[in-house]
């Protein structure tokens, strides 16, 4: 009996140990199973993500494929468009110059209707009326329009270039007007003035006063333009830069020819009443003539350096219209006088402003051509 109990008691611990060992083995198997399943899940997850990444890789390839198309389109498209002008702020000084230009243009429009001097109540000097206005009409329109462009802020540097060039030419006009206003001048010193009044002194007329005022306004506008040019923002893409040296050389050539033309005698006369050449003049009149020649050359050479390219066109345009007005006025004087005849200077002073105008047109139009890609 004792042996049977002992065998039972000995057998029960063995079964418990076996059950415990079975439970521990089950736990270990489950742990190993979980351990084995987790790496497999990770591997499967990593295996699932890798194709996704591989599928996402072709996106840069599509971007690279699209890049050549954009380069081709950029190469085909013209490098310049009509709106290739950047306009920013317009300085107060520039607006003041624009106002002066508008007022001066009005003076240029009225002056041809008024005599430069009076002798015993009779007007002498150029009073050409409508014909004189037609000669100065381009200057009136261009200078006045330039002032409006500056005031409205549209193409301000183009307008400032026109105003500055017109003001530079007006420096010589102002000095010549001051010389005419001096005492001791006779009617022979006035345009078309003096054939019937040889040696007669004259009083300053309203036309000469208005000429001095208009020239003074343009000279003052020139000084204001110099002060407000850098503060006025207007630029382009730089497509005209490579052409500036060539236009500078052309400007020098045309400027020298034009200066020589306006230094010649504007007409001839068998009785010696024609205006003399600059080399034969004296006093302030000679200073004005020499200064005009120097200003013509300087403006024609410096105009291509103005930015944007419309500034170059504006500088030449201002010179052309102011010189053209003087040339037409001289032709009217010759046509109205029986004692004045057409000379080489008469024709040269008509032709050379057209050459300056051609430079302005060329500078404005050559920039509009599409440039080859670099």
């Amino acid at each position: 009996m004792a042996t049977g109990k002992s065998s039972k008691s000995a057998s029960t611990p063995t079964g418990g140990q076996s059950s415990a060992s079975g439970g521990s083995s089950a736990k270990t198997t489950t742990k190993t199973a979980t351990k084995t399943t987790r790496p497999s899940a990770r591997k499967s997850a990593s295996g699932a993500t890798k194709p996704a990444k591989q599928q996402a890789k072709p996106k840069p390839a599509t971007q690279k494929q699209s890049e050549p198309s954009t380069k081709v389109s950029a190469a085909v498209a013209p490098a310049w468009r009509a709106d290739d002008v950047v306009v920013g702020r317009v300085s107060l000084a520039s607006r003041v110059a624009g106002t002066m230009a508008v007022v001066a243009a009005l003076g240029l429009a009225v002056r041809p209707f008024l005599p430069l001097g009076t002798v015993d109540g009779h007007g002498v000097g150029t009073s050409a009326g409508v014909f004189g206005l037609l000669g100065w009409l381009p200057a009136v329109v261009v200078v006045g329009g330039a002032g409006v462009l500056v005031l409205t802020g549209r193409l301000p540097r183009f307008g400032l270039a026109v105003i500055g060039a017109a003001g530079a030419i007006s420096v010589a006009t102002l000095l010549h007007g001051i010389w005419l206003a001096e005492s001791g001048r006779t009617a022979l010193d006035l345009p078309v003035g003096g054939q019937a009044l040889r040696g007669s002194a004259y009083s300053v007329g309203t036309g000469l006063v208005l000429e001095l005022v208009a020239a003074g306004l343009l000279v003052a506008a020139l000084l204001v333009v110099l002060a407000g040019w850098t503060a006025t923002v207007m630029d382009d893409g730089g497509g005209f830069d490579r052409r500036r040296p060539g236009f500078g050389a052309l400007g020098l050539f045309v400027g020298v020819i034009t200066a020589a033309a306006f230094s010649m005698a504007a007409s001839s006369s068998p009785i010696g009443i024609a205006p003399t050449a600059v080399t034969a003049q004296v006093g302030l009149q000679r200073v004005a003539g020499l200064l005009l020649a120097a200003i013509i050359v300087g403006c024609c050479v410096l105009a291509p350096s103005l930015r944007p390219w419309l500034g170059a066109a504006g500088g030449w345009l201002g010179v052309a219209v102011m010189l053209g007005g003087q040339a037409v006025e001289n032709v009217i004087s010759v046509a109205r006088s029986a004692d004045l005849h057409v000379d080489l200077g008469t024709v040269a002073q008509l032709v050379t402003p057209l050459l300056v105008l051609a430079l302005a047109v060329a500078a404005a139009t050559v920039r509009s051509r599409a440039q080859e890609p670099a």
Side-chain angles (χ1 to χ4, degrees), residues 265-290:
S267 59
S268 61
S269 173
I271 60 175
I273 64 171
T276 59
V278 173
T279 54
Q281 296 171 356
V282 295
L284 191 58
Q285 184 187 21
R286 185 175 187 179
V287 173
L290 293 175

Side-chain angles (χ1 to χ4, degrees), residues 7 35 43 67 77 80 105 134 137 161 247 263 272 282 308 338 369:
S7 62
K35 288 181 180 180
K43 289 180 180 180
E67 288 179 358
W80 181 86
L134 291 177
L137 187 60
F247 273 100
S263 299
V282 295
R369 296 177 183 175

